[in-house]
Amino acid sequence: AEQTEKKLEEMGVKSYTGGHFSNTSIRQILRQERYTGNTLFQKTYIENHISHKSKLNRGELPMFYAENTHPAI
């Protein structure tokens, strides 16, 4: 991650806040299952079919982890 941070700094790539990417933020990005080619389904769910409000799934419903759903980045 340190090398990636240095390379992004050299290239002038900024984070969404306009700053530089830190080691921690790079590690968090790379830990996300989407970047590994996998998908975690039902991270959110619709609480009420009338209001259509989306809520984070904190154990209310089962989540499903699928591997190799798309090419890894």
Side-chain angles (χ1 to χ4, degrees):
E2 293 84 15
Q3 292 175 344
T4 305
E5 179 183 4
K6 288 178 186 175
K7 186 67 174 176
L8 289 172
E9 187 75 31
E10 289 172 6
M11 294 170 60
V13 176
K14 304 283 184 190
S15 70
Y16 73 95
T17 61
H20 77 281
F21 282 96
S22 67
N23 262 337
T24 305
S25 62
I26 293 169
R27 288 178 199 277
Q28 287 176 338
I29 290 168
L30 295 175
R31 269 191 225 121
Q32 294 178 23
E33 83 280 348
R34 293 285 176 155
Y35 291 97
T36 62
N38 304 316
T39 303
L40 180 60
F41 292 100
Q42 286 192 207
K43 288 192 279 187
T44 62
Y45 66 98
I46 303 299
E47 178 183 37
N48 182 327
H49 71 280
I50 296 171
S51 68
H52 293 283
K53 289 193 177 182
S54 182
K55 287 187 72 174
L56 286 176
N57 184 359
R58 300 187 188 274
E60 296 88 354
L61 296 172
M63 292 185 199
F64 303 96
Y65 190 80
E67 296 181 346
N68 302 316
T69 56
H70 56 282
I73 295 176

